[in-house]
Amino acid sequence: MAAPAATRSGGIHAQPWLGIYLNDHLAAAAAGVGVARRMARKHRHSAYGGELARLTTEFVQDRRSLLWCMVSLGIPVRHTKLRAALTAERAVRLPSRGRRQRTGVNTLVGLEALRMGVEGKALLWRSLLAVAVHDTRLQTGRLSELLERAGNQLTALDSLHSRTTSALISPEDPA
């Protein structure tokens, strides 16, 4: 596979796949922030509240970092994809048959959804590091920090998941 040709500004020529890829990740990030905010609100008075609030703040910062990368590369935001992702995230929250179940299982599934999102985000930062080798508009140091933070987020989500699972099996400590 040939390396992308460099432009005079030290960047790669506009690649259609890169715009599609980054907009897909931006849409997923918007939905993930929605899930994280909802979970942080739901658990604000629980043992999970502080950690979920911290993760939500980081997810918002990560989404802003992705936007900065897109602006740096001259890739426009596809607002249609963003709206579709936000609509889908909200639709998932709708209660079935007028009842909203508030169980530890909902928390467990939410944590798993966030974890899958963070795994995807880590792969995004790795991909952008590969692009940065050929494009000086991206900051490899910042991308490396974001990749490391994604690893820390995975560790935090794994811990929350384990605690939630333990609470579900233990009758003394409900989630």
Side-chain angles (χ1 to χ4, degrees), residues 5-88:
T7 65
R8 287 186 298 180
S9 65
I12 59 174
H13 288 293
Q15 300 279 342
W17 69 267
L18 189 56
I20 294 166
Y21 180 72
L22 295 181
N23 272 286
D24 286 351
H25 272 281
L26 184 61
V33 166
V35 170
R37 282 182 174 150
R38 179 175 40 87
M39 289 186 68
R41 263 192 317 274
K42 178 182 173 188
H43 292 283
R44 69 181 167 273
H45 300 298
S46 79
Y48 309 149
E51 191 71 6
L52 286 169
R54 181 188 66 76
L55 286 168
T56 300
T57 299
E58 288 184 6
F59 295 161
V60 169
Q61 292 168 349
D62 293 346
R63 185 183 60 191
R64 286 186 189 135
S65 294
L66 175 53
L67 280 167
W68 182 87
C69 290
M70 291 174 72
V71 167
S72 296
L73 295 169
I75 295 173
V77 172
R78 300 290 180 223
H79 294 283
T80 307
K81 278 190 181 187
L82 279 176
R83 284 191 292 276
L86 292 173
T87 300

Side-chain angles (χ1 to χ4, degrees), residues 41-172:
R41 263 192 317 274
K42 178 182 173 188
H43 292 283
R44 69 181 167 273
H45 300 298
S46 79
Y48 309 149
E51 191 71 6
L52 286 169
R54 181 188 66 76
L55 286 168
T56 300
T57 299
E58 288 184 6
F59 295 161
V60 169
Q61 292 168 349
D62 293 346
R63 185 183 60 191
R64 286 186 189 135
S65 294
L66 175 53
L67 280 167
W68 182 87
C69 290
M70 291 174 72
V71 167
S72 296
L73 295 169
I75 295 173
V77 172
R78 300 290 180 223
H79 294 283
T80 307
K81 278 190 181 187
L82 279 176
R83 284 191 292 276
L86 292 173
T87 300
E89 188 275 323
R90 288 182 187 118
V92 169
R93 290 190 263 160
L94 292 176
S96 60
R97 297 188 187 149
R99 291 177 290 187
R100 181 181 290 264
Q101 294 181 353
R102 297 199 178 265
T103 67
V105 173
N106 293 346
T107 301
L108 203 59
V109 170
L111 290 169
E112 290 169 0
L114 290 175
R115 191 181 196 296
M116 286 187 288
V118 173
E119 286 176 0
K121 179 173 53 179
L123 293 170
L124 162 72
W125 301 138
R126 284 187 191 144
S127 296
L128 286 176
L129 276 166
V131 170
V133 168
H134 304 284
D135 196 320
T136 59
R137 295 174 292 179
L138 294 174
Q139 299 173 354
T140 56
R142 180 65 182 142
L143 292 170
S144 294
E145 290 170 6
L146 290 164
L147 179 57
E148 182 178 342
R149 179 157 72 179
N152 293 336
Q153 292 166 351
L154 289 171
T155 300
L157 288 166
D158 286 344
S159 173
L160 287 169
H161 189 273
S162 293
R163 289 167 50 200
T164 302
T165 304
S166 294
L168 282 172
I169 9 183
S170 170
E172 301 109 35

